[in-house]
Amino acid sequence: MGAALTGAVMVRHGADILPGCRTMEHKQTLVLRKDLNMRKGKMVAQGAHASLRAILQLGHRQQEGFVIPLDERLEPWLLGRFKKICVSVNSEAELLSVHEAARAAGLITALIQDAGLTEFGGVPTYTALAVGPDREDRVDAVTDTLPLL
């Protein structure tokens, strides 16, 4: 396997994706709260925060760079199609319930709490959740009943 240093992020790559992962679809599902009536730009930003945090929280500083170890969940997704699905919930309780179910299933999660500086009247508010990346069947087991956004 080779490695490429892009800016301060080290990305390992090679000719083969991890054995057994080549034929499985991997994805990440972003769960956003519709009840908050966020502006579209705010909603997009919250989803982006969740997607990035899900990956970056797995990394660590190494000398002058930042390394994200690739495993059977990340490698096929990062080096593949980056499949993402956006779904919605209608309350904080529903968002937190999905988060707990995903964690209980052993999935990567990133729960976003907005500081409330531009919306939500200065009140910190849970806005978004990333579930995965992981195998599609594992992510779907937690999120497939949620409506598309």
Side-chain angles (χ1 to χ4, degrees):
M1 295 230 163
L5 184 60
T6 306
V9 177
M10 176 71 77
V11 180
R12 219 182 74 222
H13 61 87
D16 289 324
I17 290 178
L18 290 171
C21 293
R22 183 182 309 258
T23 59
M24 288 183 263
E25 281 288 324
H26 284 67
K27 77 176 185 182
Q28 181 180 68
T29 296
L30 303 177
V31 185
L32 293 144
R33 284 183 59 189
K34 280 179 54 175
D35 63 304
L36 295 173
N37 296 314
M38 290 181 273
R39 295 168 308 178
K40 288 179 185 174
K42 181 71 166 184
M43 192 174 281
V44 169
Q46 298 302 297
H49 288 325
S51 183
L52 279 170
R53 181 176 289 162
I55 301 303
L56 294 177
Q57 70 188 354
L58 302 173
H60 61 276
R61 290 186 62 90
Q62 184 174 313
Q63 298 171 350
E64 304 273 330
F66 187 79
V67 177
I68 300 169
L70 299 180
D71 62 16
E72 67 278 354
R73 301 167 303 174
L74 296 179
E75 186 169 349
W77 189 75
L78 286 172
L79 301 180
R81 296 177 16 192
F82 277 97
K83 184 177 184 180
K84 289 181 196 69
I85 305 297
C86 295
V87 298
S88 65
V89 293
N90 290 308
S91 69
E92 179 179 292
E94 196 176 355
L95 183 72
L96 296 176
S97 175
V98 174
H99 180 239
E100 286 307 313
R103 287 177 42 147
L107 294 166
I108 297 168
T109 63
L111 179 63
I112 301 302
Q113 184 179 50
D114 186 78
L117 301 178
T118 60
E119 292 191 25
F120 318 125
V123 177
T125 304
Y126 290 112
T127 57
L129 169 68
V131 178
D134 208 311
R135 287 191 343 251
E136 190 165 13
D137 63 322
R138 288 180 39 83
V139 173
D140 284 350
V142 174
T143 63
D144 70 345
T145 61
L146 301 173
L148 291 174
L149 182 64

Coordinates of all heavy atoms in Angstrom, one line a residue, residues 1-95:
M1 N 0.8 -1.2 0.0 CA 0.0 0.0 0.0 C 0.9 1.2 0.0 O 1.9 1.3 0.7 CB -0.9 0.0 1.2 CG -1.9 -1.0 1.3 SD -3.5 -0.3 1.7 CE -4.5 -1.6 1.3
G2 N 0.4 2.2 -0.7 CA 1.1 3.5 -0.7 C 0.5 4.5 0.2 O -0.5 4.2 0.9
A3 N 1.1 5.7 0.3 CA 0.5 6.7 1.1 C 0.7 8.0 0.4 O 1.7 8.2 -0.3 CB 1.2 6.8 2.5
A4 N -0.2 8.9 0.6 CA -0.1 10.3 0.0 C -0.3 11.3 1.1 O -1.2 11.1 2.0 CB -1.2 10.4 -1.1
L5 N 0.5 12.3 1.1 CA 0.4 13.4 2.1 C -0.2 14.5 1.4 O 0.3 15.1 0.5 CB 1.7 13.7 2.7 CG 1.7 14.8 3.9 CD1 0.8 14.3 5.0 CD2 3.1 15.1 4.4
T6 N -1.4 14.9 1.8 CA -2.1 16.0 1.2 C -2.3 17.1 2.3 O -3.1 16.9 3.2 CB -3.5 15.6 0.6 OG1 -3.3 14.5 -0.2 CG2 -4.2 16.7 -0.1
G7 N -1.6 18.2 2.2 CA -1.7 19.2 3.3 C -1.2 18.5 4.5 O -0.1 18.0 4.6
A8 N -2.0 18.5 5.5 CA -1.6 17.9 6.8 C -2.4 16.6 7.1 O -2.4 16.1 8.2 CB -1.9 18.9 7.9
V9 N -3.0 16.0 6.0 CA -3.8 14.8 6.2 C -3.2 13.7 5.5 O -2.9 13.8 4.3 CB -5.3 15.0 5.7 CG1 -6.0 13.7 5.9 CG2 -5.9 16.1 6.5
M10 N -2.8 12.6 6.2 CA -2.2 11.4 5.6 C -3.4 10.5 5.2 O -4.2 10.1 6.0 CB -1.3 10.7 6.6 CG -0.7 9.5 6.0 SD 0.5 9.7 4.7 CE 1.9 10.2 5.7
V11 N -3.4 10.1 3.9 CA -4.4 9.1 3.5 C -3.7 8.0 2.9 O -2.9 8.1 2.0 CB -5.3 9.8 2.4 CG1 -6.3 8.8 1.9 CG2 -6.0 11.0 2.9
R12 N -3.9 6.8 3.5 CA -3.3 5.5 3.0 C -4.2 5.0 1.8 O -5.4 5.1 1.9 CB -3.4 4.5 4.1 CG -2.2 3.6 4.2 CD -2.3 2.6 5.3 NE -3.3 1.6 4.9 CZ -4.2 1.1 5.6 NH1 -4.4 1.5 6.9 NH2 -5.0 0.2 5.2
H13 N -3.5 4.6 0.8 CA -4.3 4.1 -0.4 C -3.5 3.0 -1.0 O -2.3 2.9 -0.8 CB -4.6 5.2 -1.4 CG -3.4 5.8 -2.0 ND1 -2.8 5.3 -3.1 CD2 -2.7 6.9 -1.6 CE1 -1.8 6.1 -3.4 NE2 -1.7 7.1 -2.5
G14 N -4.1 2.2 -1.8 CA -3.5 1.1 -2.4 C -4.3 0.5 -3.5 O -5.4 0.9 -3.8
A15 N -3.8 -0.5 -4.2 CA -4.5 -1.2 -5.3 C -5.8 -1.9 -4.8 O -6.8 -2.0 -5.5 CB -3.6 -2.1 -6.0
D16 N -5.7 -2.5 -3.6 CA -6.9 -3.3 -3.1 C -7.5 -2.7 -1.9 O -6.9 -2.2 -1.0 CB -6.4 -4.7 -2.7 CG -6.0 -5.5 -4.0 OD1 -6.6 -5.3 -5.0 OD2 -5.0 -6.3 -3.8
I17 N -8.8 -2.6 -2.0 CA -9.6 -2.3 -0.8 C -9.5 -3.5 0.1 O -9.3 -4.7 -0.4 CB -11.0 -1.9 -1.2 CG1 -11.0 -0.6 -1.9 CG2 -12.0 -1.9 0.0 CD1 -12.4 -0.1 -2.4
L18 N -9.7 -3.4 1.4 CA -9.6 -4.5 2.3 C -10.4 -5.7 1.8 O -11.5 -5.6 1.3 CB -10.1 -4.1 3.7 CG -9.3 -3.1 4.5 CD1 -10.0 -2.6 5.7 CD2 -7.9 -3.7 4.9
P19 N -9.8 -6.9 2.0 CA -10.5 -8.1 1.5 C -11.9 -8.2 2.1 O -12.2 -7.9 3.3 CB -9.6 -9.2 2.1 CG -8.3 -8.6 2.3 CD -8.6 -7.2 2.7
G20 N -12.9 -8.6 1.3 CA -14.3 -8.8 1.7 C -15.1 -7.5 1.6 O -16.3 -7.6 1.7
C21 N -14.5 -6.3 1.5 CA -15.2 -5.1 1.4 C -15.5 -4.6 0.0 O -16.4 -3.8 -0.2 CB -14.4 -4.0 2.1 SG -14.2 -4.2 3.9
R22 N -14.9 -5.2 -1.0 CA -15.0 -4.7 -2.3 C -16.5 -4.9 -2.8 O -17.0 -4.0 -3.6 CB -14.1 -5.5 -3.2 CG -14.1 -5.1 -4.7 CD -13.2 -6.0 -5.5 NE -11.9 -6.1 -4.8 CZ -10.8 -5.4 -5.3 NH1 -10.9 -4.6 -6.3 NH2 -9.7 -5.5 -4.7
T23 N -17.2 -5.9 -2.4 CA -18.5 -6.1 -3.0 C -19.6 -5.6 -2.1 O -20.8 -5.6 -2.5 CB -18.8 -7.6 -3.1 OG1 -18.6 -8.3 -1.9 CG2 -17.8 -8.3 -4.1
M24 N -19.3 -5.1 -0.9 CA -20.3 -4.5 0.0 C -20.4 -3.0 -0.2 O -19.5 -2.3 -0.4 CB -20.0 -4.8 1.4 CG -20.1 -6.2 1.8 SD -19.8 -6.4 3.6 CE -18.1 -6.9 3.5
E25 N -21.7 -2.5 -0.2 CA -21.9 -1.1 -0.3 C -21.7 -0.5 1.1 O -22.1 -1.1 2.1 CB -23.3 -0.8 -0.7 CG -23.6 -0.9 -2.2 CD -22.9 0.2 -3.0 OE1 -22.9 1.4 -2.5 OE2 -22.4 -0.1 -4.1
H26 N -21.1 0.6 1.2 CA -20.9 1.4 2.4 C -21.5 2.7 2.3 O -21.5 3.3 1.2 CB -19.4 1.5 2.7 CG -18.7 0.2 3.2 ND1 -18.6 -0.9 2.4 CD2 -18.3 -0.1 4.4 CE1 -18.0 -1.8 3.2 NE2 -17.8 -1.4 4.4
K27 N -22.0 3.2 3.4 CA -22.6 4.6 3.3 C -22.6 5.2 4.7 O -22.3 4.6 5.7 CB -24.1 4.5 2.8 CG -25.1 4.0 3.7 CD -26.5 4.1 3.1 CE -27.6 3.7 4.0 NZ -28.9 3.7 3.3
Q28 N -23.0 6.5 4.6 CA -23.2 7.3 5.8 C -24.6 7.9 5.7 O -25.0 8.4 4.6 CB -22.1 8.4 5.9 CG -22.2 9.2 7.2 CD -21.2 10.3 7.2 OE1 -21.2 11.2 6.4 NE2 -20.2 10.2 8.1
T29 N -25.3 7.9 6.8 CA -26.6 8.5 6.8 C -26.6 9.8 7.7 O -26.1 9.7 8.9 CB -27.7 7.6 7.3 OG1 -27.9 6.5 6.3 CG2 -29.1 8.3 7.4
L30 N -27.0 10.9 7.2 CA -27.1 12.1 8.0 C -28.6 12.3 8.4 O -29.5 12.2 7.6 CB -26.6 13.3 7.2 CG -25.2 13.2 6.6 CD1 -24.9 14.4 5.7 CD2 -24.2 13.0 7.7
V31 N -28.8 12.5 9.7 CA -30.1 12.7 10.3 C -30.2 14.1 10.7 O -29.4 14.6 11.6 CB -30.3 11.7 11.5 CG1 -31.7 11.8 12.0 CG2 -29.9 10.3 11.1
L32 N -31.2 14.8 10.2 CA -31.4 16.3 10.5 C -32.8 16.5 11.1 O -33.7 15.9 10.7 CB -31.2 17.1 9.2 CG -29.7 17.0 8.8 CD1 -29.6 17.0 7.3 CD2 -28.9 18.2 9.4
R33 N -32.8 17.5 12.0 CA -34.1 17.8 12.7 C -34.9 18.8 11.8 O -34.5 19.9 11.6 CB -33.8 18.4 14.0 CG -33.4 17.4 15.1 CD -33.3 18.0 16.4 NE -34.5 18.7 16.9 CZ -34.5 19.4 18.0 NH1 -33.4 19.6 18.7 NH2 -35.6 20.0 18.4
K34 N -36.1 18.4 11.4 CA -37.0 19.2 10.6 C -37.8 20.2 11.5 O -38.2 21.3 11.1 CB -37.9 18.4 9.8 CG -37.3 17.9 8.5 CD -38.2 17.0 7.7 CE -39.5 17.7 7.3 NZ -40.4 16.9 6.4
D35 N -38.0 19.8 12.8 CA -38.8 20.6 13.6 C -38.2 22.0 14.0 O -38.9 22.9 14.4 CB -39.1 19.9 14.9 CG -37.9 19.6 15.7 OD1 -36.9 19.0 15.2 OD2 -37.8 20.0 16.9
L36 N -36.9 22.1 13.7 CA -36.2 23.4 14.1 C -36.4 24.5 13.0 O -36.1 25.6 13.2 CB -34.7 23.1 14.3 CG -34.4 22.3 15.4 CD1 -32.9 22.0 15.4 CD2 -34.8 22.9 16.8
N37 N -36.9 24.0 11.8 CA -37.1 25.0 10.7 C -35.9 25.8 10.4 O -35.9 27.0 10.2 CB -38.3 25.9 11.0 CG -39.6 25.1 11.1 OD1 -39.9 24.3 10.2 ND2 -40.4 25.4 12.1
M38 N -34.7 25.1 10.4 CA -33.5 25.7 10.0 C -33.5 26.2 8.6 O -34.1 25.6 7.7 CB -32.3 24.7 10.2 CG -32.0 24.3 11.6 SD -30.6 23.2 11.7 CE -31.4 21.6 11.5
R39 N -32.8 27.3 8.4 CA -32.6 27.8 7.0 C -31.8 26.7 6.3 O -31.1 25.9 6.9 CB -31.8 29.1 7.0 CG -32.5 30.3 7.6 CD -31.5 31.4 7.8 NE -30.4 30.8 8.5 CZ -29.3 31.5 8.8 NH1 -29.2 32.7 8.5 NH2 -28.3 30.9 9.5
K40 N -32.0 26.6 4.9 CA -31.3 25.6 4.2 C -29.8 25.6 4.4 O -29.2 24.5 4.5 CB -31.7 25.7 2.7 CG -33.1 25.3 2.4 CD -33.4 25.5 0.9 CE -34.9 25.2 0.7 NZ -35.3 25.5 -0.7
G41 N -29.2 26.7 4.3 CA -27.8 26.8 4.5 C -27.3 26.3 5.9 O -26.3 25.6 6.0
K42 N -28.1 26.6 6.9 CA -27.8 26.1 8.3 C -27.9 24.6 8.3 O -27.1 23.9 8.9 CB -28.8 26.8 9.3 CG -28.5 26.4 10.7 CD -27.3 27.0 11.2 CE -27.2 27.0 12.7 NZ -26.0 27.7 13.2
M43 N -28.9 24.1 7.7 CA -29.1 22.6 7.7 C -28.0 21.9 7.0 O -27.5 20.9 7.5 CB -30.5 22.3 7.0 CG -30.9 20.9 7.2 SD -32.5 20.5 6.6 CE -33.5 21.1 7.9
V44 N -27.6 22.5 5.9 CA -26.4 21.9 5.1 C -25.2 21.9 6.0 O -24.4 21.0 6.1 CB -26.2 22.6 3.8 CG1 -24.9 22.2 3.1 CG2 -27.4 22.4 2.8
A45 N -24.9 23.1 6.6 CA -23.7 23.2 7.5 C -23.8 22.2 8.6 O -22.7 21.6 9.0 CB -23.6 24.6 8.0
Q46 N -24.9 22.0 9.3 CA -25.0 21.1 10.4 C -24.8 19.6 9.9 O -24.1 18.8 10.6 CB -26.4 21.2 11.1 CG -26.7 22.5 11.7 CD -25.6 22.9 12.7 OE1 -25.5 22.3 13.7 NE2 -24.9 24.0 12.5
G47 N -25.3 19.3 8.7 CA -25.0 17.9 8.2 C -23.6 17.8 7.8 O -23.0 16.7 8.1
A48 N -22.9 18.8 7.3 CA -21.5 18.7 7.0 C -20.7 18.6 8.3 O -19.7 17.8 8.3 CB -21.1 20.0 6.2
H49 N -21.0 19.3 9.3 CA -20.3 19.1 10.6 C -20.4 17.7 11.1 O -19.4 17.1 11.5 CB -21.0 20.0 11.7 CG -20.7 21.5 11.5 ND1 -19.6 22.0 11.1 CD2 -21.6 22.5 11.8 CE1 -19.7 23.3 11.1 NE2 -20.9 23.7 11.5
A50 N -21.6 17.1 11.0 CA -21.8 15.7 11.4 C -20.9 14.8 10.6 O -20.2 13.9 11.1 CB -23.2 15.3 11.4
S51 N -21.0 14.9 9.3 CA -20.2 14.0 8.4 C -18.7 14.1 8.7 O -18.1 13.0 8.8 CB -20.5 14.4 6.9 OG -19.9 13.5 6.1
L52 N -18.2 15.3 8.8 CA -16.8 15.4 9.0 C -16.4 15.0 10.4 O -15.4 14.3 10.5 CB -16.4 16.9 8.9 CG -16.2 17.4 7.4 CD1 -16.0 18.9 7.4 CD2 -14.9 16.7 6.8
R53 N -17.2 15.3 11.4 CA -16.8 14.9 12.8 C -16.8 13.3 12.9 O -15.9 12.8 13.6 CB -17.7 15.4 13.8 CG -17.3 15.0 15.2 CD -18.1 15.6 16.3 NE -17.8 17.0 16.4 CZ -18.6 17.9 17.1 NH1 -19.7 17.5 17.6 NH2 -18.2 19.1 17.1
A54 N -17.7 12.7 12.2 CA -17.7 11.2 12.3 C -16.4 10.6 11.9 O -15.9 9.6 12.4 CB -18.8 10.7 11.4
I55 N -15.8 11.2 10.9 CA -14.5 10.7 10.4 C -13.3 11.3 11.2 O -12.4 10.5 11.6 CB -14.3 11.1 8.9 CG1 -15.4 10.5 8.0 CG2 -12.9 10.6 8.3 CD1 -15.6 9.0 8.1
L56 N -13.3 12.6 11.4 CA -12.2 13.2 12.0 C -12.0 12.8 13.5 O -10.8 12.7 14.0 CB -12.3 14.7 11.9 CG -12.2 15.3 10.5 CD1 -12.4 16.8 10.5 CD2 -10.9 14.9 9.9
Q57 N -13.1 12.4 14.2 CA -12.9 12.0 15.6 C -12.1 10.7 15.7 O -11.7 10.3 16.7 CB -14.3 11.9 16.2 CG -15.1 10.7 15.7 CD -16.5 10.7 16.3 OE1 -16.9 11.5 17.1 NE2 -17.3 9.8 15.8
L58 N -12.0 10.0 14.6 CA -11.3 8.7 14.6 C -9.8 8.9 14.3 O -9.0 7.9 14.5 CB -11.8 7.8 13.5 CG -13.3 7.4 13.6 CD1 -13.8 6.7 12.4 CD2 -13.6 6.7 14.9
G59 N -9.4 10.1 14.0 CA -8.0 10.4 13.6 C -7.2 10.9 14.8 O -7.7 11.1 15.9
H60 N -5.9 11.1 14.6 CA -5.0 11.6 15.6 C -3.9 12.4 14.9 O -3.5 12.1 13.8 CB -4.5 10.5 16.5 CG -3.7 9.5 15.7 ND1 -4.2 8.4 15.0 CD2 -2.3 9.4 15.5 CE1 -3.3 7.7 14.4 NE2 -2.1 8.3 14.7
R61 N -3.3 13.3 15.7 CA -2.1 14.0 15.2 C -0.9 13.0 15.2 O -0.8 12.2 16.1 CB -1.8 15.2 16.2 CG -2.8 16.3 16.1 CD -2.3 17.4 17.0 NE -1.0 18.0 16.5 CZ -0.9 19.0 15.6 NH1 -2.0 19.5 15.1 NH2 0.2 19.4 15.2
Q62 N -0.1 13.2 14.2 CA 1.1 12.4 14.1 C 2.2 13.4 13.5 O 2.1 13.7 12.3 CB 0.9 11.2 13.2 CG 2.1 10.3 13.1 CD 1.9 9.0 12.3 OE1 0.8 8.4 12.5 NE2 2.7 8.7 11.4
Q63 N 3.1 13.7 14.3 CA 4.2 14.7 14.0 C 3.5 16.0 13.4 O 2.8 16.6 14.2 CB 5.1 14.1 13.0 CG 5.9 12.9 13.5 CD 6.7 12.1 12.4 OE1 6.5 12.4 11.3 NE2 7.5 11.2 12.9
E64 N 3.7 16.3 12.2 CA 3.2 17.5 11.6 C 1.8 17.3 10.9 O 1.3 18.2 10.2 CB 4.2 18.1 10.6 CG 5.5 18.4 11.2 CD 5.6 19.8 11.8 OE1 4.9 20.7 11.4 OE2 6.4 19.9 12.8
G65 N 1.3 16.1 11.0 CA 0.1 15.8 10.2 C -1.1 15.2 11.1 O -1.0 15.3 12.3
F66 N -2.1 14.8 10.4 CA -3.2 14.2 11.0 C -3.5 12.9 10.3 O -3.6 12.9 9.0 CB -4.4 15.2 10.9 CG -5.6 14.7 11.6 CD1 -5.7 14.9 13.0 CD2 -6.7 14.1 11.0 CE1 -6.9 14.5 13.7 CE2 -7.8 13.7 11.6 CZ -7.9 14.0 13.0
V67 N -3.6 11.8 11.0 CA -3.8 10.5 10.4 C -5.1 9.9 10.8 O -5.5 9.9 12.0 CB -2.7 9.5 10.9 CG1 -2.8 8.1 10.3 CG2 -1.3 10.1 10.5
I68 N -5.8 9.4 9.8 CA -7.1 8.7 10.0 C -6.9 7.2 9.6 O -6.7 6.9 8.4 CB -8.2 9.3 9.1 CG1 -8.4 10.7 9.5 CG2 -9.5 8.5 9.3 CD1 -9.3 11.5 8.5
P69 N -6.8 6.3 10.6 CA -6.6 4.9 10.3 C -7.7 4.3 9.5 O -8.9 4.6 9.8 CB -6.5 4.2 11.6 CG -6.3 5.3 12.6 CD -6.9 6.5 12.0
L70 N -7.4 3.6 8.4 CA -8.5 3.0 7.6 C -8.8 1.6 8.1 O -7.9 0.8 8.3 CB -8.0 3.0 6.1 CG -7.8 4.4 5.5 CD1 -7.3 4.2 4.1 CD2 -9.0 5.3 5.6
D71 N -10.0 1.3 8.2 CA -10.5 0.0 8.6 C -11.6 -0.5 7.6 O -11.9 0.2 6.7 CB -10.9 -0.1 10.1 CG -12.1 0.8 10.4 OD1 -12.8 1.2 9.5 OD2 -12.3 1.0 11.6
E72 N -12.2 -1.6 8.0 CA -13.3 -2.1 7.1 C -14.5 -1.2 6.9 O -15.3 -1.4 6.0 CB -13.7 -3.5 7.5 CG -14.4 -3.6 8.8 CD -13.5 -3.6 10.1 OE1 -12.3 -3.6 9.9 OE2 -14.0 -3.5 11.2
R73 N -14.7 -0.3 7.9 CA -15.8 0.7 7.8 C -15.4 1.9 6.9 O -16.2 2.3 6.1 CB -16.2 1.2 9.1 CG -16.6 0.1 10.1 CD -16.7 0.6 11.5 NE -15.4 1.2 11.9 CZ -15.1 1.8 13.0 NH1 -16.1 2.0 13.9 NH2 -14.0 2.3 13.3
L74 N -14.2 2.4 7.1 CA -13.8 3.6 6.5 C -13.2 3.5 5.1 O -13.5 4.3 4.2 CB -12.7 4.3 7.3 CG -13.2 4.8 8.7 CD1 -12.1 5.5 9.4 CD2 -14.4 5.7 8.5
E75 N -12.3 2.5 4.9 CA -11.6 2.4 3.6 C -12.5 2.3 2.4 O -12.3 3.0 1.4 CB -10.6 1.2 3.7 CG -9.7 1.2 2.4 CD -8.5 0.3 2.5 OE1 -8.2 -0.2 3.7 OE2 -7.9 0.0 1.5
P76 N -13.5 1.4 2.4 CA -14.3 1.3 1.2 C -15.1 2.5 0.9 O -15.4 2.9 -0.2 CB -15.2 0.1 1.4 CG -14.7 -0.6 2.6 CD -13.8 0.4 3.4
W77 N -15.4 3.2 2.0 CA -16.2 4.5 1.8 C -15.4 5.6 1.4 O -15.7 6.3 0.4 CB -16.9 4.8 3.2 CG -17.9 5.9 3.1 CD1 -19.2 5.8 2.5 CD2 -17.8 7.2 3.6 NE1 -19.8 7.0 2.7 CE2 -19.0 7.9 3.3 CE3 -16.8 7.9 4.3 CZ2 -19.2 9.2 3.7 CZ3 -17.0 9.2 4.6 CH2 -18.2 9.8 4.4
L78 N -14.3 5.8 2.1 CA -13.4 7.0 1.7 C -12.7 6.8 0.4 O -12.5 7.8 -0.3 CB -12.3 7.1 2.8 CG -12.7 7.7 4.1 CD1 -11.6 7.6 5.1 CD2 -13.2 9.2 3.9
L79 N -12.4 5.6 0.0 CA -11.8 5.4 -1.3 C -12.8 5.0 -2.4 O -12.4 4.7 -3.5 CB -10.7 4.3 -1.2 CG -9.6 4.6 -0.2 CD1 -8.6 3.5 -0.1 CD2 -8.9 5.9 -0.5
G80 N -14.0 4.9 -2.0 CA -15.1 4.6 -3.0 C -16.0 5.7 -3.3 O -15.5 6.8 -3.7
R81 N -17.3 5.6 -3.2 CA -18.2 6.5 -3.7 C -18.7 7.6 -2.7 O -19.4 8.5 -3.0 CB -19.5 5.8 -4.2 CG -19.2 4.9 -5.4 CD -20.3 4.1 -5.9 NE -21.6 4.6 -5.4 CZ -22.7 3.9 -5.5 NH1 -22.7 2.8 -6.1 NH2 -23.9 4.4 -5.1
F82 N -18.3 7.5 -1.4 CA -18.7 8.5 -0.4 C -20.2 8.6 -0.3 O -20.8 9.7 -0.1 CB -18.2 9.9 -0.7 CG -16.8 10.2 -0.3 CD1 -15.8 10.1 -1.2 CD2 -16.5 10.6 1.0 CE1 -14.5 10.4 -0.8 CE2 -15.2 10.9 1.3 CZ -14.2 10.8 0.4
K83 N -20.9 7.5 -0.4 CA -22.4 7.5 -0.4 C -22.9 8.1 0.9 O -22.6 7.6 1.9 CB -22.9 6.1 -0.7 CG -24.4 6.0 -0.8 CD -24.8 4.5 -1.1 CE -26.3 4.4 -1.3 NZ -26.7 3.0 -1.5
K84 N -23.8 9.1 0.7 CA -24.5 9.7 1.9 C -26.0 9.7 1.6 O -26.4 10.0 0.5 CB -24.0 11.1 2.1 CG -22.6 11.2 2.6 CD -22.2 12.7 2.8 CE -20.7 12.8 2.9 NZ -20.0 12.6 1.7
I85 N -26.8 9.6 2.6 CA -28.2 9.7 2.5 C -28.6 10.7 3.6 O -28.1 10.6 4.7 CB -28.9 8.3 2.8 CG1 -28.4 7.2 1.9 CG2 -30.4 8.4 2.8 CD1 -28.7 7.4 0.4
C86 N -29.6 11.6 3.3 CA -30.1 12.5 4.3 C -31.5 12.2 4.6 O -32.4 12.1 3.7 CB -30.0 13.9 3.8 SG -28.3 14.5 3.5
V87 N -31.8 12.0 5.9 CA -33.1 11.7 6.4 C -33.5 12.7 7.5 O -32.6 13.5 7.9 CB -33.2 10.2 7.0 CG1 -32.9 9.2 5.9 CG2 -32.2 10.0 8.1
S88 N -34.7 12.6 8.0 CA -35.1 13.6 9.0 C -35.8 13.0 10.2 O -36.3 11.8 10.1 CB -36.0 14.6 8.3 OG -37.3 14.0 7.9
V89 N -35.8 13.7 11.3 CA -36.6 13.4 12.4 C -37.3 14.7 12.8 O -37.0 15.8 12.3 CB -35.7 12.9 13.6 CG1 -35.1 11.6 13.3 CG2 -34.6 14.0 14.0
N90 N -38.3 14.6 13.7 CA -39.1 15.7 14.1 C -39.0 16.2 15.5 O -39.8 17.0 15.9 CB -40.6 15.4 13.8 CG -40.9 15.3 12.3 OD1 -40.5 16.2 11.5 ND2 -41.4 14.2 11.9
S91 N -37.9 15.7 16.2 CA -37.8 16.2 17.6 C -36.4 15.9 18.1 O -35.7 15.0 17.5 CB -38.8 15.6 18.5 OG -38.5 14.2 18.7
E92 N -36.0 16.6 19.1 CA -34.7 16.2 19.8 C -34.7 14.8 20.3 O -33.7 14.1 20.2 CB -34.4 17.2 20.9 CG -33.1 16.9 21.6 CD -32.8 17.9 22.7 OE1 -32.5 19.1 22.3 OE2 -32.8 17.5 23.9
A93 N -35.8 14.5 20.9 CA -35.9 13.1 21.5 C -35.7 12.0 20.4 O -35.1 11.0 20.7 CB -37.3 12.9 22.2
E94 N -36.3 12.3 19.3 CA -36.2 11.3 18.2 C -34.7 11.2 17.7 O -34.2 10.1 17.5 CB -37.1 11.7 17.0 CG -37.3 10.6 16.0 CD -38.3 10.9 14.9 OE1 -38.9 12.0 15.0 OE2 -38.5 10.1 14.0
L95 N -34.1 12.4 17.6 CA -32.6 12.4 17.2 C -31.8 11.7 18.2 O -30.9 10.8 17.8 CB -32.2 13.9 17.1 CG -30.7 14.1 16.6 CD1 -30.6 13.7 15.1 CD2 -30.3 15.5 16.8

